[in-house]
Amino acid sequence: MTPVITTNRLTKRFGDFVATDSLTFSVNQGEIFGFLGANGAGKTTAMRMLCGLSLPSSGDATIAGFDVYKQTEDIKKNIGYMSQKFSLYEDLTVLENIRFFGGIYGLNNRQIREKCDALINRLGMEDETGKLVASLPLGWKQKLSFSVAVLHDPKIVFLDEPTGGVDPVTRRQFWDLIYEAAARGVTIFVTTHYMDEAEYCNRISIMVDGKIEALDTPGNLKRQFRSESMDDVFYQLARKARRGD
Amino acid sequence: MRTIRFLLQKEFRQIFRNKSILAMVMVMPIVQLLILPLAADYEIKNINLAVVDEDRSPYSQKLISKITSSGYFRLTGFENNYNEAFRLIEQEKADIVLQIPPHFESTLVRENKSALFVAVNAINGTKASLGGSYLSAIIRNFNGEIRVQLMQPGRFSRVEQVETPTRFWFNPFLNYHMYMVPGILAILVTMIGGFLSALNIVKEKEVGTIEQINVTPIHKHHFILGKLIPFWVLGNIVFIIGLGVSWLVYGIVPQGNIALLFAFVAVYLLAVLGLGLLVSTLCETQQQAMFIMFFFMMVFILMGGLFTSVDSMPDWARVIVRFNPVSYLIDVMRMVILKGSNFGDVRQKMIIIAGFAIVLNTLAILNYRKRA
């Protein structure tokens, strides 16, 4: 088991506010790592540092072997990212979005064509390829977003609340996509508020007020906190939080 | 290069799907060039004149009819005394009061001189000064006519007169359209280029799509070029449409080399777009970007030499004008279109604008941060 994400006392401050406080953890290759925490616990801030979108205040981290301070552009070649806010181009069609991001990631025309066909076929979106993304229902947008994030075969994909606001059936389909990617060896780093989704992860961490309070497999955590369900584990930890929204 | 091709493809698709941008690019230059030069005219007409004729003699009648038939004045009041006429100025019904004193004619005949009184409302400075000088010119002219009539044979006195004939070069009939149209076109190109570019990157920030770009290994200069080139093309299209309108509607044909004009505009657009993109990288919302660009545009336009001459500005203002790209374009447009200037004449301005383009675009690239 080789770690693809390692952090050491990774911290981000905004003025006096410590958004993430001394995070130290590692994620192994091919793992599905659940990154849990209440609203405002610092999940998105941590994820943005790992993706090279935000500069850490102190501490270290390496992603796919590259340093988050100096080698962000190398990191970006090796990761995919799906932000909390839908961020494909709404005024481009499904096909145009896929081709655009394929091109930006430097895939050649043949690769783009093959990826497009496979992706559209997998999502069953043959009839929607020419539609503007703005006209798609949320569930499809999210599945499309994920597929675009893994288009360039990244080593790691970061998903920030990918299933927020999505219906249960689509959530299941979404997790099927995640499992398929993980089976190909892609490491999944995912945040979620759904505890059933937490159960799908190999390991999970729970953040409270900027710190990681617990990190283990779902089974071990339930034993550790003498709980029947992840819901209860989360509740025991998160109610200690003093900040939130 | 391949990355830029994908960026351009995306940017052009978005532009052509956005009907309001297309309308702005195609319709705005046509409509503005049709309306503005006709309305923004330096000639002052319709000056409201109130007359107080206390003489009521043939001479005073003649003077009044001479003034009203000039076409510049509109007789809006004929009052009995000065106070009544001045009330019209207070009510904004009159711009100028002309008072003809009692015994105007008889004094003039007897003593060979007489006095008139002119009061001008100077709230609108241009109208007041031009109206006042038009009125003096008409009175001077009237004066010349009656002196000839009054001169009696035998008492022939030589009236000394110095005449100054003036020849106006490059715009012989002082046609205001020739002067205004190139300037308005310069401003149109600046506005469209400046606003489109300033609002673009910041829009991606607002919508959130820039996150998805920032997480890719895209080079910063590729991203900026991908924004610069499409708006550069649009700016040139606006310029071509504008030149077409000024030729078709106003009959303005560049006296100089049209290729030189295009070359200068090509460099100029890079500078304006660079400024827009820099503003766009600095701002977080479209609203902020809009306000900042409005600030620059106001200064650029009012200090660009379109409405007021740069040469008559105070020294400190002329220093500011040197940093105003619009003033260079307005100058060069007028030089090449009206005067037929060649490359040698505009070379220095071209170098300065190229300098602006390099500095502003470099700043835009440096200031575009993929990581907060």
Side-chain angles (χ1 to χ4, degrees):
Chain A
M1 293 275 267
T2 44
V4 287
I5 301 174
T6 58
T7 72
N8 183 22
R9 303 184 64 77
L10 191 67
T11 302
K12 177 83 185 187
R13 289 183 211 93
F14 298 103
D16 288 339
F17 179 73
V18 185
T20 67
D21 190 359
S22 241
L23 302 185
T24 304
F25 64 93
S26 66
V27 178
N28 295 316
Q29 200 211 317
E31 198 173 10
I32 300 178
F33 189 83
F35 201 58
L36 274 57
N39 292 329
K43 303 186 298 295
T44 300
T45 308
M47 193 180 264
R48 287 172 53 83
M49 283 193 283
L50 299 179
C51 291
L53 288 173
S54 171
L55 189 69
S57 305
S58 64
D60 302 306
T62 53
I63 313 297
F66 298 106
D67 181 64
V68 282
Y69 290 98
K70 295 183 205 105
Q71 297 169 301
T72 44
E73 297 310 290
D74 293 303
I75 290 176
K76 285 170 185 175
K77 284 178 199 149
N78 287 289
I79 61 164
Y81 172 66
M82 185 178 159
S83 83
Q84 204 167 9
K85 191 171 169 189
F86 180 74
S87 49
L88 297 183
Y89 289 97
E90 302 242 351
D91 49 356
L92 295 182
T93 67
V94 171
L95 206 58
E96 286 163 355
N97 265 295
I98 302 170
R99 282 190 189 140
F100 172 69
F101 282 102
I104 296 297
Y105 276 109
L107 305 185
N108 64 36
N109 288 341
R110 192 176 51 82
Q111 285 172 317
I112 292 176
R113 204 167 41 245
E114 285 172 6
K115 295 270 180 192
C116 265
D117 291 344
L119 190 161
I120 284 160
N121 191 19
R122 171 62 188 85
L123 295 181
M125 290 177 74
E126 286 85 351
D127 297 330
E128 273 74 27
T129 53
K131 283 190 188 161
L132 292 186
V133 165
S135 68
L136 297 181
L138 181 67
W140 284 26
K141 279 183 182 172
Q142 295 303 81
K143 284 190 278 185
L144 180 65
S145 255
F146 176 80
S147 307
V148 168
V150 295
L151 194 66
H152 56 295
D153 293 322
K155 291 205 178 90
I156 308 154
V157 60
F158 292 88
L159 310 171
D160 196 355
E161 289 182 31
T163 53
V166 168
D167 69 74
V169 176
T170 316
R171 282 209 290 138
R172 264 319 271 271
Q173 292 169 345
F174 196 94
W175 274 86
D176 287 342
L177 291 173
I178 291 180
Y179 272 113
E180 284 166 31
R184 292 197 301 270
V186 180
T187 307
I188 312 282
F189 189 97
V190 58
T191 74
T192 179
H193 286 306
Y194 297 107
M195 289 307 128
D196 59 328
E197 290 185 356
E199 304 263 8
Y200 301 149
C201 298
N202 299 122
R203 281 194 307 152
I204 58 177
S205 74
I206 297 179
M207 265 182 99
V208 180
D209 287 353
K211 295 192 182 70
I212 291 182
E213 290 290 329
L215 196 164
D216 213 326
T217 62
N220 285 347
L221 283 177
K222 276 186 280 190
R223 269 191 295 281
Q224 187 187 333
F225 288 87
R226 295 191 181 83
S227 303
E228 293 285 298
S229 64
M230 276 312 300
D231 258 338
D232 190 45
V233 174
F234 186 86
Y235 184 70
Q236 286 190 40
L237 284 166
R239 70 176 170 195
K240 293 190 293 190
R242 283 201 214 102
R243 70 191 202 211
D245 55 356
Chain B
M1 273 329 284
R2 215 176 117 79
T3 313
I4 291 183
R5 213 187 71 210
F6 279 101
L7 285 168
L8 293 183
Q9 207 173 36
K10 163 212 161 235
E11 218 57 57
F12 275 115
R13 278 198 177 114
Q14 290 182 303
I15 290 169
F16 283 106
R17 278 188 195 144
N18 191 333
K19 297 284 174 276
S20 59
I21 288 189
L22 273 188
M24 215 163 98
V25 170
M26 301 300 163
V27 182
M28 200 166 113
I30 297 176
V31 173
Q32 296 208 350
L33 275 175
L34 288 181
I35 293 173
L36 293 182
L38 298 176
D41 196 319
Y42 284 128
E43 269 197 290
I44 300 282
K45 284 181 183 152
N46 306 324
I47 303 163
N48 297 320
L49 179 74
V51 174
V52 184
D53 185 357
E54 291 169 328
D55 190 33
R56 298 192 189 262
S57 62
Y59 270 15
S60 70
Q61 296 299 324
K62 207 167 159 185
L63 175 61
I64 293 165
S65 75
K66 192 170 171 63
I67 292 168
T68 48
S69 62
S70 68
Y72 292 106
F73 295 93
R74 202 158 54 187
L75 196 61
T76 51
F78 202 88
E79 307 298 327
N80 290 321
N81 60 51
Y82 177 73
N83 287 343
E84 280 174 31
F86 194 77
R87 195 164 303 126
L88 291 180
I89 284 194
E90 288 177 331
Q91 293 165 347
E92 293 285 321
K93 284 181 185 153
D95 301 309
I96 295 185
V97 172
L98 172 68
Q99 191 181 13
I100 304 171
H103 318 300
F104 169 71
E105 187 185 89
S106 52
T107 328
L108 194 63
V109 173
R110 202 172 52 241
E111 295 174 18
N112 203 15
K113 64 176 184 189
S114 193
L116 291 166
F117 179 71
V118 176
V120 183
N121 174 11
I123 287 189
N124 182 340
T126 325
K127 204 169 182 180
S129 63
L130 277 176
S133 54
Y134 286 165
L135 194 59
S136 331
I138 295 169
I139 293 169
R140 203 162 45 239
N141 194 280
F142 174 75
N143 188 25
E145 284 174 17
I146 56 170
R147 282 177 82 96
V148 175
Q149 282 181 19
L150 282 173
M151 245 178 268
Q152 289 155 13
R155 270 181 62 194
F156 188 78
S157 68
R158 278 211 323 246
V159 183
E160 299 282 353
Q161 268 195 340
V162 182
E163 256 185 68
T164 326
T166 312
R167 171 108 159 77
F168 294 104
W169 281 91
F170 309 123
N171 187 2
F173 304 107
L174 289 182
N175 179 343
Y176 285 102
H177 299 155
M178 296 275 278
Y179 185 70
M180 291 302 283
V181 170
I184 289 173
L185 182 52
I187 284 177
L188 267 175
V189 168
T190 311
M191 294 255 280
I192 292 179
F195 277 110
L196 284 183
S197 55
L199 292 179
N200 186 282
I201 296 179
V202 77
K203 185 190 168 196
E204 292 221 25
K205 285 189 200 171
E206 268 187 6
V207 181
T209 47
I210 201 146
E211 286 273 275
Q212 207 62 51
I213 295 283
N214 286 346
V215 84
T216 68
I218 193 170
H219 294 297
K220 293 192 334 177
H221 65 276
H222 283 169
F223 179 76
I224 295 291
L225 274 174
K227 296 290 183 189
L228 187 64
I229 296 168
F231 297 124
W232 184 85
V233 172
L234 284 188
N236 279 303
I237 293 174
V238 170
F239 182 63
I240 292 169
I241 294 176
L243 272 188
V245 171
S246 38
W247 170 60
L248 284 173
V249 179
Y250 302 101
I252 297 173
V253 182
Q255 299 295 310
N257 190 341
I258 200 162
L260 175 62
L261 212 51
F262 278 114
F264 191 88
V265 168
V267 179
Y268 174 81
L269 274 169
L270 294 178
V272 170
L273 297 175
L275 174 70
L277 292 176
L278 176 61
V279 169
S280 210
T281 58
L282 282 168
C283 294
E284 290 306 317
T285 65
Q286 295 190 68
Q287 203 178 30
Q288 290 168 357
M290 197 80 182
F291 274 121
I292 294 183
M293 278 320 269
F294 260 123
F295 167 76
F296 278 113
M297 288 297 163
M298 285 294 282
V299 177
F300 283 176
I301 292 171
L302 292 178
M303 296 186 80
L306 176 65
F307 300 111
T308 48
S309 164
V310 173
D311 296 323
S312 46
M313 289 180 191
D315 289 339
W316 58 264
R318 284 160 72 178
V319 173
I320 297 176
V321 172
R322 282 204 217 143
F323 294 94
N324 177 359
V326 178
S327 74
Y328 293 89
L329 181 62
I330 291 178
D331 262 2
V332 169
M333 293 273 274
R334 285 177 178 162
M335 282 167 78
V336 177
I337 292 180
L338 302 184
K339 224 159 109 180
S341 301
N342 58 30
F343 178 69
D345 301 325
V346 305
R347 189 179 58 198
Q348 212 205 334
K349 294 182 197 295
M350 182 97 109
I351 292 170
I352 293 172
I353 288 295
F356 277 131
I358 292 167
V359 170
L360 289 167
N361 284 295
T362 308
L363 285 177
I365 292 171
L366 292 178
N367 196 56
Y368 161 50
R369 290 188 205 289
K370 293 175 73 177
R371 178 157 76 172

